[in-house]
Amino acid sequence: LCLTILGNFKLSLAVSGQRKMAEKGEGEETIEGRKVRAMWDLEQKLDQPMEEEAHKLKNMQKEKGLSTLMLLRLAFQSLGIVYGDLGTSPLYVFHNTFPDGINDTEDVIGALSLIIYSLLLIPLIKYVFIVCKANDNGQGGTLAIYSLLCRNGKLKLIPDQQRSDQELTTYGRTFLPEGSMAAKTMNWLEKKESRKRALLIIVLVGTCMTIGDGIFTPAISVLSATGGIKVNNPQMSSDTVVIVAVLILVGLFSMQQYGTDKVAWLFAPIVFIWLLFIGGTGLYNICIYDTSVLKAFSPTYVYMYFRRRGRDGWVSLGGILLSITGTEALYDDIAYFPLLAIQLAFTLFVFPCLLLAYCGQAAYLVKNKDNYANAFYESIPDSIYWPMFIVATGAAVVGSQATISGTYSIIKQAMAHGCFPPVKVVHTSKKFLVLMVLLMLLVWRCNWFLILVFTVLSLMVEGAYFSAVLLKVNQGGWLPLVIAAVLLVVMLVWNYVKIKRYEFQVHSKVSMSWIIGLGPSLGLVRVPGIGIVYSELASGVPHIFSHVITNLPAIHSVVVFVCVKYLPVYTIPEEERFLVKRIGSKTFRMFRCVARYGYKDLQKKDDDFENKLFNNLFSFVQMERMMEPVSNSSNSSSASICSQPHQSREVLINNNDMDMFSSMVDYTVSTLDTIIPLDIPSNAASYCPDRAVGEEETNELEFLKSGRDSGVVHIQGNTVVKARRNSSLPKKIAINYVYAFLKKICRGNNVIFNVPHESLLNVGQVFYV
C-alpha cells in the first residue's frame, strides 16, 4: 500500500533574538552567547561532513595499462561505434558539393583539396589529437568539459559539492596558483550566478544541437545508401527505397537493447570491410582514370577554387562540410574506448582510406563530369557493384550507430547535471569552442598565446563552414534547429525547477539538534523495522521526516537517512559509492548514508540497491566496533543524551525560545561520528544509566538484521511544484504544464532502485515557485 500524505509546507524565518539580548544585562548576554555557541558546536558535531569516511574508502590503486594486443583489439572495435558516421561521408559529398553540375574539371581538384585539408585540420589535428584529450576520464562531449570545469571551481548552480567528494579516485581536479590568469578567470566566473547560468546555457545549446543532428543522421545515412539501388534499377520507385530504409532503421533501433559492446563487435567488421572497399576502389580509380588528382594535396588549389567560383564556391562549403560530419559524434563516443585506441584507428586506417576514396571519386569525375549525381556508385567497377551496395548499406547503418551512441552518452551526462529528466538509457558549434578555451585556460593552464592561436584558427575554419551552412537553413536545415530549441527549453525548465527544489529543501531542513532533543525514542513509539528516508541533502534532516514524526504516533526502531547524490564524474567505483555515518549516540539507532553516482552509473536499474545499502551499513557497524577502544568502550560509547522525562515532543517542537534545549548542550567529542560526552554539567538533561546499553551495543548488528527482517519502509518526498498566482504566463506554462508533464512521465527513485510498491511511503508537499 502506497500511502500519500499531502501537506502544504510553508517556510518560516527564525527570529534572531538580537533584540531580546539587547534588553538583557551584560552578564545574561554572556550566558546567552555561551548557549548559542554551545548549540552551534553541538550541531556541527552531530552532523559533520563525511571527509573521514571518504578518505577511508579511497582506492589508491592505479589503473593497469593495456597490452598491445588489447589496444589493437579495441582500436578495431572502435570502428563500429566511433567512425561509422565519418566513414560513410563519401556516399554523398561530391553530389552535394556540385548539385547543379560540374562546369570545369579544375573545380573537382579544388573541391578535393578542400576535403583533404578539412579532414586534416578538423577531425585529425583538432579532434583526434587535441579535443579528444579534453576528456573526463575518457568521457567526451560538451557536458564532459563542463564537468571538468565544475570540479575545478564552484560553477555548479546546485551547491551540493562536499570535500568528501574530492576523495574519489575518479574526481580529478587542478589547483590554480593564486594570482594567475586562470585563477582570476575562475574567480570572475564564480562571483555571479548569472555568469554560471550563462555558461550552463552555452553548454546546453551545444548539447541540444548535437542531439538534434543525431535525430536525423540515421535516416539520412540509410536513405542515401539504399538510394544506390536505383542506379542499376532506374524503374524502381522512390517509395520502395523509403520502405527499405524504414525497415533497416527499425532493425537498427531494435538492436540497441543488447548493449554497446555487442553492437560494436557486430558493426566493426562491417566498417572495416567498408573502408577497405572504398580505399581499394579509390586506389583503382586513381590508377585507371587520372593520377594528376594527387596535386590536390597542394593548398594553392583551395585559393584558386574560391577565386574561380566566387560566391558559388563559398556556398559549396555546405557540401564539403559533409566530409567531416560525424566528428562531433567521434568526440562524444570516446567514452566507450581508450583514447589511444581511437587515435591509432583513425591515423593508421580510417584517414588513409578516406583520402583514397575521395581521390578516387575525384579521378573518376575528372573524366566523367556528367555523372556527378551518383558519383559514388557510378565510380564503382561493375564487377563489385552489388557487394559494394550491400556493404554500403551496412556501413550506413553503422554510421547511424555512431550518432546514436553519442546521443546516449550526452543524455546520461545531462541527467547527472540535473538538466534532463530521469530516463532509461542502455557540425561543430562555436559554443563548444568557448568551452575548449576555458578548459585550456583553467584546467590545462596553457600559455595564452597558444590559446589565442587555437581560437583564431578554429574561428577561421569553422566560421567559414558555419556561414555557408546558414544559407541552407531555409532548405530544411531549420528542422534540426527547431528540435534543438525544444530540447533546450526542456533542459532549462527541468534544471530551473531542480535548483528551486534543492533550495527549498535546504531552507526547510530540520536541525539535527532538534532531533537529538527529542531523545532516543524521538518522542514516539519505536516499532520494529527499518525506515529509509530519501533526501537530496547530505546533511541535516529533511522536512518530510519532521512531518512524519509530528503526524504519526510511531516510527521505526532504526532510521536511515539516504541521500542519492549525482556527481559530475563519469563513474564511481562500487567500493567508494556509499558513505555511512552514525547520527547521535547508539541508542538513537539513526544513520546517514550518501549514495554517490556518476553519469555512467545512472541508467541501469539497480535491483540490488537495498542489499548494497544494508551491506555497507552492517560493515560500518562492524568497523566502528573494531575501532573502539577495548577499555571502557561499553561505557564511553554508550552514553546518550536523553530528553527530559516530563517534556513532550510537542513542547520541543513548539519551543521557539530554545532556552530549554540549550541548557542540555555540552561540548562533546566525535569519534566516528558517535557523540561521546566529555563532561556532564549540573544543569544538563538527565542521562539514562539504567538502560542496558552495553547489551544493545553488543547485539547491535543482530538488532539491525532483525529490524530488516521485521520490514523495511522507503519514505520518499513527493514534491508538487507549482508557480505562484502572480507569476508570469510563460512561467506558469513552464512549471505547471511542461515540468508537471515531464515529472509525470519520467522515472522516479522508486523505479530506479527497485523499491517494492507495498514498501513505499510517499510524503507529499506543495512548493510554490
Side-chain angles (χ1 to χ4, degrees):
L1 178 62
C2 180
L3 175 63
T4 302
I5 307 173
L6 186 60
N8 190 350
F9 290 158
K10 296 183 179 179
L11 301 181
S12 61
L13 297 177
V15 180
S16 64
Q18 293 180 356
R19 182 179 303 173
K20 182 187 296 184
M21 292 178 62
E23 296 175 355
K24 297 181 179 180
E26 182 178 356
E28 290 179 307
E29 287 181 0
T30 303
I31 295 174
E32 188 71 20
R34 290 177 178 173
K35 292 179 179 179
V36 173
R37 287 194 299 272
M39 189 68 186
W40 170 258
D41 290 338
L42 177 61
E43 179 71 18
Q44 297 303 306
K45 290 164 184 170
L46 290 174
D47 204 14
Q48 292 181 3
M50 292 187 168
E51 282 80 11
E52 184 178 356
E53 287 78 6
H55 183 71
K56 293 175 183 177
L57 290 176
K58 186 172 182 179
N59 185 1
M60 301 303 295
Q61 295 181 355
K62 297 182 179 179
E63 295 184 4
K64 296 181 179 180
L66 296 173
S67 64
T68 303
L69 183 61
M70 178 61 70
L71 194 62
L72 293 176
R73 174 178 173 268
L74 292 173
F76 171 78
Q77 192 175 354
S78 69
L79 296 175
I81 295 295
V82 179
Y83 296 113
D85 191 15
L86 189 63
T88 54
S89 297
L91 283 168
Y92 39 75
V93 170
F94 277 108
H95 166 65
N96 287 276
T97 303
F98 302 104
D100 300 324
I102 302 172
N103 298 324
D104 190 346
T105 56
E106 287 297 314
D107 293 343
V108 178
I109 305 298
L112 176 61
S113 185
L114 277 170
I115 293 172
I116 291 172
Y117 284 98
S118 295
L119 287 171
L120 177 67
L121 293 176
I122 297 180
L124 181 61
I125 296 179
K126 180 180 177 180
Y127 272 86
V128 173
F129 286 103
I130 297 179
V131 173
C132 283
K133 291 184 178 180
N135 61 80
D136 181 15
N137 288 287
Q139 307 296 303
T142 54
L143 282 166
I145 296 181
Y146 182 67
S147 298
L148 279 173
L149 295 175
C150 287
R151 296 207 301 270
N152 284 273
K154 298 178 181 178
L155 300 179
K156 284 189 66 177
L157 293 176
I158 300 178
D160 59 351
Q161 299 100 322
Q162 290 184 311
R163 289 175 56 189
S164 57
D165 300 334
Q166 300 176 16
E167 297 289 337
L168 289 167
T169 55
T170 54
Y171 196 99
R173 59 172 302 178
T174 303
F175 294 95
L176 305 178
E178 289 292 335
S180 63
M181 186 182 218
K184 292 179 181 178
T185 304
M186 182 63 77
N187 292 334
W188 181 81
L189 288 172
E190 292 175 345
K191 280 184 179 179
K192 292 188 177 181
E193 292 293 320
S194 59
R195 295 167 186 167
K196 299 179 185 178
R197 192 172 292 108
L199 179 62
L200 179 62
I201 292 175
I202 290 174
V203 171
L204 294 183
V205 168
T207 300
C208 293
M209 291 181 69
T210 303
I211 297 176
D213 176 67
I215 291 175
F216 290 96
T217 297
I220 294 173
S221 299
V222 174
L223 192 59
S224 298
T226 55
I229 198 173
K230 295 184 66 177
V231 174
N232 277 4
N233 298 274
Q235 71 279 4
M236 182 177 291
S237 65
S238 299
D239 294 339
T240 304
V241 176
V242 172
I243 292 174
V244 172
V246 169
L247 292 176
I248 293 174
L249 288 171
V250 170
L252 170 64
F253 283 96
S254 299
M255 297 176 65
Q256 301 304 311
Q257 59 180 317
Y258 297 108
T260 302
D261 181 65
K262 295 182 177 62
V263 172
W265 269 115
L266 177 64
F267 287 166
I270 297 177
V271 177
F272 180 76
I273 296 172
W274 162 256
L275 291 172
L276 284 179
F277 266 37
I278 62 174
T281 302
L283 182 61
Y284 172 82
N285 288 336
I286 293 171
C287 297
I288 294 296
Y289 292 104
D290 191 357
T291 58
S292 65
V293 296
L294 298 178
K295 62 185 180 181
F297 281 89
S298 172
T300 57
Y301 286 91
V302 174
Y303 168 75
M304 290 188 292
Y305 177 79
F306 286 120
R307 182 179 179 181
R308 184 169 52 252
R309 298 200 66 189
R311 185 181 183 276
D312 292 338
W314 194 266
V315 174
S316 69
L317 285 176
I320 303 293
L321 178 64
L322 296 176
S323 65
I324 57 175
T325 55
T327 305
E328 186 74 17
L330 180 155
Y331 180 51
D332 293 327
D333 288 332
I334 64 173
Y336 300 101
F337 303 98
L339 177 59
L340 184 57
I342 292 176
Q343 291 174 334
L344 286 175
F346 188 80
T347 306
L348 301 180
F349 186 66
V350 178
F351 185 61
C353 289
L354 288 176
L355 291 182
L356 288 173
Y358 286 117
C359 290
Q361 286 190 52
Y364 174 82
L365 288 175
V366 167
K367 301 297 183 181
N368 304 274
K369 64 180 183 179
D370 293 334
N371 293 335
Y372 67 92
N374 293 294
F376 176 78
Y377 284 107
E378 293 287 354
S379 64
I380 298 173
D382 294 336
S383 58
I384 62 169
Y385 175 81
W386 285 111
M388 180 66 83
F389 171 77
I390 295 173
V391 175
T393 304
V397 173
V398 176
S400 304
Q401 179 63 43
T403 306
I404 293 170
S405 301
T407 303
Y408 287 166
S409 296
I410 291 173
I411 291 176
K412 288 190 289 186
Q413 295 171 14
M415 289 169 56
H417 286 283
C419 298
F420 203 84
V423 293
K424 185 178 180 180
V425 179
V426 184
H427 62 307
T428 307
S429 171
K430 290 191 290 184
K431 279 71 179 179
F432 179 76
L433 178 60
V434 173
L435 293 178
M436 274 301 301
V437 171
L438 288 176
L439 182 74
M440 294 173 73
L441 177 64
L442 302 178
V443 180
W444 291 352
R445 288 187 285 175
C446 295
N447 186 277
W448 65 270
F449 179 74
L450 295 177
I451 298 175
L452 182 62
V453 170
F454 176 83
T455 305
V456 171
L457 290 178
S458 297
L459 287 176
M460 288 176 59
V461 176
E462 297 174 11
Y465 284 120
F466 183 72
S467 62
V469 170
L470 287 178
L471 300 175
K472 295 190 175 184
V473 171
N474 60 346
Q475 301 177 14
W478 57 270
L479 191 54
L481 295 178
V482 170
I483 293 177
V486 173
L487 288 172
L488 180 62
V489 171
V490 169
M491 290 186 176
L492 289 177
V493 169
W494 188 268
N495 181 256
Y496 172 77
V497 177
K498 187 174 181 64
I499 293 172
K500 293 300 180 182
R501 282 181 54 189
Y502 181 81
E503 293 175 351
F504 168 72
Q505 292 195 29
V506 170
H507 290 297
S508 62
K509 70 178 180 179
V510 180
S511 170
M512 188 62 68
S513 56
W514 177 79
I515 296 294
I516 301 301
L518 297 176
S521 67
L522 301 180
L524 301 168
V525 177
R526 302 294 291 267
V527 298
I530 298 179
I532 301 177
V533 184
Y534 291 85
S535 170
E536 296 182 15
L537 303 176
S539 62
V541 179
H543 202 182
I544 61 170
F545 183 71
S546 66
H547 190 64
V548 169
I549 65 176
T550 54
N551 288 275
L552 296 180
I555 196 64
H556 302 88
S557 57
V558 179
V559 177
V560 182
F561 295 101
V562 175
C563 169
V564 179
K565 189 176 182 182
Y566 303 123
L567 300 179
V569 296
Y570 80 106
T571 188
I572 295 176
E574 197 68 41
E575 61 271 15
E576 299 181 54
R577 175 154 298 153
F578 291 90
L579 294 178
V580 182
K581 62 179 275 189
R582 185 184 297 277
I583 297 177
S585 63
K586 292 188 175 182
T587 54
F588 280 80
R589 308 292 189 195
M590 295 172 63
F591 302 88
R592 181 182 305 284
C593 177
V594 178
R596 303 176 294 182
Y597 289 84
Y599 46 78
K600 190 179 178 181
D601 309 322
L602 296 180
Q603 317 316 315
K604 190 174 181 179
K605 185 177 178 181
D606 198 346
D607 296 332
D608 206 31
F609 176 79
E610 185 178 305
N611 290 331
K612 294 176 184 176
L613 174 63
F614 283 117
N615 288 339
N616 281 272
L617 181 60
F618 297 156
S619 298
F620 168 79
V621 173
Q622 291 175 332
M623 183 180 297
E624 183 187 43
R625 184 67 179 170
M626 291 172 58
M627 297 184 67
E628 286 180 351
V630 177
S631 61
N632 202 26
S633 62
S634 61
N635 295 330
S636 63
S637 63
S638 63
S640 63
I641 302 177
C642 299
S643 59
Q644 293 282 4
H646 301 294
Q647 293 285 350
S648 66
R649 64 190 178 105
E650 287 79 8
V651 174
L652 286 171
I653 294 169
N654 298 322
N655 189 0
N656 295 325
D657 194 11
M658 298 301 291
D659 289 339
M660 180 275 300
F661 186 74
S662 61
S663 65
M664 300 163 53
V665 177
D666 184 31
Y667 293 98
T668 57
V669 63
S670 176
T671 302
L672 282 173
D673 294 302
T674 302
I675 307 304
I676 305 173
L678 294 179
D679 189 16
I680 306 175
S682 58
N683 62 341
S686 60
Y687 282 75
C688 305
D690 55 334
R691 295 178 181 267
V693 180
E695 295 180 3
E696 291 184 4
E697 288 179 352
T698 304
N699 301 318
E700 185 175 21
L701 191 59
E702 287 74 13
F703 183 82
L704 293 175
K705 292 180 179 179
S706 64
R708 185 184 183 185
D709 295 336
S710 299
V712 178
V713 175
H714 299 258
I715 305 173
Q716 296 183 356
N718 185 14
T719 305
V720 178
V721 183
K722 294 183 178 181
R724 297 183 183 275
R725 292 184 178 180
N726 58 351
S727 301
S728 61
L729 181 61
K731 186 175 182 179
K732 290 182 179 179
I733 294 174
I735 296 177
N736 296 345
Y737 296 98
V738 176
Y739 177 79
F741 174 75
L742 295 174
K743 183 76 162 50
K744 186 176 181 180
I745 64 174
C746 72
R747 302 196 307 167
N749 283 338
N750 58 316
V751 177
I752 297 175
F753 301 123
N754 196 29
V755 177
H757 186 71
E758 61 274 9
S759 301
L760 179 64
L761 174 65
N762 277 332
V763 180
Q765 51 188 345
V766 180
F767 170 48
Y768 291 93
V769 181

